[in-house]
Amino acid sequence: MMDVFFPGAYLNGQLSHIPIIEEVMLLNEKELELVFKNLEKAKVPGLDGIDYQIWLYLYNFDKMFLFDIVNTCFKFNYFPQCLRNARVFFLLKAGKFPVILSSYRPVRLLPIIGEILEKLFLNRFNRWLRENNILHERRYGFREGRSCEVAIHDLIHVIKQHTKTEHTALISLDIKSAFDNMDWLVLYKLFDDYGVPGF
């Protein structure tokens, strides 16, 4: 039953991708500060029960202690298993029939320090994508300064631009559970093709 929420099996039942790890540039204080400034105030803690206020207090009390923790993880390319263990619960989607499994959205709560580490990595990854001009200029999802509203605005602008002289057609595709059904080996191959750092 849980298979519905996670990617399927692979050849020989194995999903193995071992990137070549190169030396990593350690985090700087601005990167840590950016994550802590944008820490969600109402974030529910994970299995460790330590909420954001405790980490925020620790950050204000002794930044270097936290700095050492996250930089050690970056230096050794290591995301501790205990920070990846999540509390998972299922929310019924609005207007959906409760006896159908796909009517529920799984929500995972990681320990806050795990979320902090994840955000630090994500910020680094997004910066690499920007610096190497990987993302298409019209990609709106999960990008800073882009949103659904901006996408609609740009779409209306294009339609208005072409209405007087040309016909305009719009094709909209919605891939159901796209992330859940992604072929991870294809994703890893794309990373290799684009030269994404192993870290």
Side-chain angles (χ1 to χ4, degrees), residues 104-117:
Y104 294 87
R105 175 176 290 115
V107 175
R108 60 100 171 115
L109 297 174
L110 285 172
I112 303 296
I113 187 66
E115 298 236 356
I116 290 165
L117 193 57

PDB file of all heavy atoms in Angstrom, residues 104-117:
ATOM      1  N   TYR A 104      -5.044  11.114   0.236  1.00  0.00           N
ATOM      2  CA  TYR A 104      -4.216  11.611   1.333  1.00  0.00           C
ATOM      3  C   TYR A 104      -2.863  12.091   0.833  1.00  0.00           C
ATOM      4  O   TYR A 104      -2.296  11.541  -0.095  1.00  0.00           O
ATOM      5  CB  TYR A 104      -4.009  10.499   2.378  1.00  0.00           C
ATOM      6  CG  TYR A 104      -5.289  10.124   3.079  1.00  0.00           C
ATOM      7  CD1 TYR A 104      -6.136   9.163   2.541  1.00  0.00           C
ATOM      8  CD2 TYR A 104      -5.659  10.754   4.259  1.00  0.00           C
ATOM      9  CE1 TYR A 104      -7.322   8.822   3.158  1.00  0.00           C
ATOM     10  CE2 TYR A 104      -6.840  10.422   4.898  1.00  0.00           C
ATOM     11  CZ  TYR A 104      -7.672   9.458   4.340  1.00  0.00           C
ATOM     12  OH  TYR A 104      -8.849   9.139   4.955  1.00  0.00           O
ATOM     13  N   ARG A 105      -2.385  13.142   1.492  1.00  0.00           N
ATOM     14  CA  ARG A 105      -1.058  13.674   1.181  1.00  0.00           C
ATOM     15  C   ARG A 105      -0.132  13.334   2.350  1.00  0.00           C
ATOM     16  O   ARG A 105      -0.407  13.726   3.492  1.00  0.00           O
ATOM     17  CB  ARG A 105      -1.144  15.190   1.018  1.00  0.00           C
ATOM     18  CG  ARG A 105       0.212  15.861   0.812  1.00  0.00           C
ATOM     19  CD  ARG A 105       0.071  17.350   0.568  1.00  0.00           C
ATOM     20  NE  ARG A 105      -0.518  17.573  -0.743  1.00  0.00           N
ATOM     21  CZ  ARG A 105      -1.719  18.131  -0.948  1.00  0.00           C
ATOM     22  NH1 ARG A 105      -2.441  18.512   0.079  1.00  0.00           N
ATOM     23  NH2 ARG A 105      -2.187  18.303  -2.157  1.00  0.00           N
ATOM     24  N   PRO A 106       0.968  12.603   2.090  1.00  0.00           N
ATOM     25  CA  PRO A 106       1.888  12.314   3.188  1.00  0.00           C
ATOM     26  C   PRO A 106       2.698  13.561   3.553  1.00  0.00           C
ATOM     27  O   PRO A 106       3.171  14.279   2.678  1.00  0.00           O
ATOM     28  CB  PRO A 106       2.794  11.217   2.612  1.00  0.00           C
ATOM     29  CG  PRO A 106       2.706  11.384   1.136  1.00  0.00           C
ATOM     30  CD  PRO A 106       1.382  12.010   0.822  1.00  0.00           C
ATOM     31  N   VAL A 107       2.811  13.818   4.827  1.00  0.00           N
ATOM     32  CA  VAL A 107       3.578  14.966   5.320  1.00  0.00           C
ATOM     33  C   VAL A 107       4.649  14.414   6.250  1.00  0.00           C
ATOM     34  O   VAL A 107       4.361  13.609   7.128  1.00  0.00           O
ATOM     35  CB  VAL A 107       2.673  15.956   6.079  1.00  0.00           C
ATOM     36  CG1 VAL A 107       3.493  17.072   6.694  1.00  0.00           C
ATOM     37  CG2 VAL A 107       1.601  16.513   5.163  1.00  0.00           C
ATOM     38  N   ARG A 108       5.888  14.841   6.039  1.00  0.00           N
ATOM     39  CA  ARG A 108       6.964  14.361   6.892  1.00  0.00           C
ATOM     40  C   ARG A 108       7.545  15.512   7.711  1.00  0.00           C
ATOM     41  O   ARG A 108       7.699  16.625   7.226  1.00  0.00           O
ATOM     42  CB  ARG A 108       8.052  13.659   6.070  1.00  0.00           C
ATOM     43  CG  ARG A 108       8.726  14.510   5.007  1.00  0.00           C
ATOM     44  CD  ARG A 108      10.052  15.018   5.503  1.00  0.00           C
ATOM     45  NE  ARG A 108      10.817  15.654   4.455  1.00  0.00           N
ATOM     46  CZ  ARG A 108      11.106  16.954   4.479  1.00  0.00           C
ATOM     47  NH1 ARG A 108      10.666  17.725   5.406  1.00  0.00           N
ATOM     48  NH2 ARG A 108      11.862  17.476   3.541  1.00  0.00           N
ATOM     49  N   LEU A 109       7.824  15.217   8.963  1.00  0.00           N
ATOM     50  CA  LEU A 109       8.441  16.210   9.838  1.00  0.00           C
ATOM     51  C   LEU A 109       9.823  15.716  10.237  1.00  0.00           C
ATOM     52  O   LEU A 109       9.961  14.723  10.951  1.00  0.00           O
ATOM     53  CB  LEU A 109       7.590  16.418  11.093  1.00  0.00           C
ATOM     54  CG  LEU A 109       6.185  16.986  10.870  1.00  0.00           C
ATOM     55  CD1 LEU A 109       5.412  16.987  12.173  1.00  0.00           C
ATOM     56  CD2 LEU A 109       6.257  18.380  10.291  1.00  0.00           C
ATOM     57  N   LEU A 110      10.837  16.401   9.721  1.00  0.00           N
ATOM     58  CA  LEU A 110      12.214  16.081  10.081  1.00  0.00           C
ATOM     59  C   LEU A 110      12.585  16.835  11.352  1.00  0.00           C
ATOM     60  O   LEU A 110      11.980  17.867  11.665  1.00  0.00           O
ATOM     61  CB  LEU A 110      13.160  16.539   8.975  1.00  0.00           C
ATOM     62  CG  LEU A 110      13.215  15.728   7.694  1.00  0.00           C
ATOM     63  CD1 LEU A 110      14.061  16.468   6.666  1.00  0.00           C
ATOM     64  CD2 LEU A 110      13.770  14.347   7.943  1.00  0.00           C
ATOM     65  N   PRO A 111      13.610  16.368  12.073  1.00  0.00           N
ATOM     66  CA  PRO A 111      14.137  17.199  13.151  1.00  0.00           C
ATOM     67  C   PRO A 111      14.540  18.557  12.563  1.00  0.00           C
ATOM     68  O   PRO A 111      15.019  18.633  11.431  1.00  0.00           O
ATOM     69  CB  PRO A 111      15.368  16.420  13.623  1.00  0.00           C
ATOM     70  CG  PRO A 111      15.088  15.000  13.243  1.00  0.00           C
ATOM     71  CD  PRO A 111      14.301  15.078  11.959  1.00  0.00           C
ATOM     72  N   ILE A 112      14.333  19.623  13.316  1.00  0.00           N
ATOM     73  CA  ILE A 112      14.585  20.984  12.820  1.00  0.00           C
ATOM     74  C   ILE A 112      16.034  21.143  12.343  1.00  0.00           C
ATOM     75  O   ILE A 112      16.281  21.749  11.302  1.00  0.00           O
ATOM     76  CB  ILE A 112      14.256  22.047  13.900  1.00  0.00           C
ATOM     77  CG1 ILE A 112      12.807  21.925  14.370  1.00  0.00           C
ATOM     78  CG2 ILE A 112      14.539  23.449  13.387  1.00  0.00           C
ATOM     79  CD1 ILE A 112      11.743  22.197  13.337  1.00  0.00           C
ATOM     80  N   ILE A 113      16.994  20.563  13.069  1.00  0.00           N
ATOM     81  CA  ILE A 113      18.392  20.701  12.650  1.00  0.00           C
ATOM     82  C   ILE A 113      18.604  19.999  11.296  1.00  0.00           C
ATOM     83  O   ILE A 113      19.396  20.450  10.466  1.00  0.00           O
ATOM     84  CB  ILE A 113      19.390  20.177  13.731  1.00  0.00           C
ATOM     85  CG1 ILE A 113      20.835  20.488  13.358  1.00  0.00           C
ATOM     86  CG2 ILE A 113      19.195  18.709  13.988  1.00  0.00           C
ATOM     87  CD1 ILE A 113      21.210  21.943  13.321  1.00  0.00           C
ATOM     88  N   GLY A 114      17.851  18.931  11.048  1.00  0.00           N
ATOM     89  CA  GLY A 114      17.904  18.264   9.750  1.00  0.00           C
ATOM     90  C   GLY A 114      17.357  19.164   8.653  1.00  0.00           C
ATOM     91  O   GLY A 114      17.890  19.223   7.546  1.00  0.00           O
ATOM     92  N   GLU A 115      16.276  19.887   8.969  1.00  0.00           N
ATOM     93  CA  GLU A 115      15.696  20.826   7.995  1.00  0.00           C
ATOM     94  C   GLU A 115      16.671  21.973   7.716  1.00  0.00           C
ATOM     95  O   GLU A 115      16.777  22.445   6.584  1.00  0.00           O
ATOM     96  CB  GLU A 115      14.372  21.383   8.535  1.00  0.00           C
ATOM     97  CG  GLU A 115      13.334  20.307   8.742  1.00  0.00           C
ATOM     98  CD  GLU A 115      12.057  20.568   7.989  1.00  0.00           C
ATOM     99  OE1 GLU A 115      11.928  21.627   7.352  1.00  0.00           O
ATOM    100  OE2 GLU A 115      11.182  19.695   8.048  1.00  0.00           O
ATOM    101  N   ILE A 116      17.363  22.418   8.753  1.00  0.00           N
ATOM    102  CA  ILE A 116      18.353  23.487   8.592  1.00  0.00           C
ATOM    103  C   ILE A 116      19.474  23.023   7.657  1.00  0.00           C
ATOM    104  O   ILE A 116      19.846  23.726   6.721  1.00  0.00           O
ATOM    105  CB  ILE A 116      18.916  23.924   9.971  1.00  0.00           C
ATOM    106  CG1 ILE A 116      17.828  24.663  10.761  1.00  0.00           C
ATOM    107  CG2 ILE A 116      20.165  24.783   9.819  1.00  0.00           C
ATOM    108  CD1 ILE A 116      18.134  24.835  12.239  1.00  0.00           C
ATOM    109  N   LEU A 117      19.973  21.824   7.904  1.00  0.00           N
ATOM    110  CA  LEU A 117      21.025  21.260   7.064  1.00  0.00           C
ATOM    111  C   LEU A 117      20.542  21.096   5.622  1.00  0.00           C
ATOM    112  O   LEU A 117      21.252  21.422   4.667  1.00  0.00           O
ATOM    113  CB  LEU A 117      21.467  19.912   7.641  1.00  0.00           C
ATOM    114  CG  LEU A 117      22.747  19.301   7.114  1.00  0.00           C
ATOM    115  CD1 LEU A 117      23.932  20.237   7.298  1.00  0.00           C
ATOM    116  CD2 LEU A 117      23.018  17.972   7.822  1.00  0.00           C
TER     117      LEU A 117
END
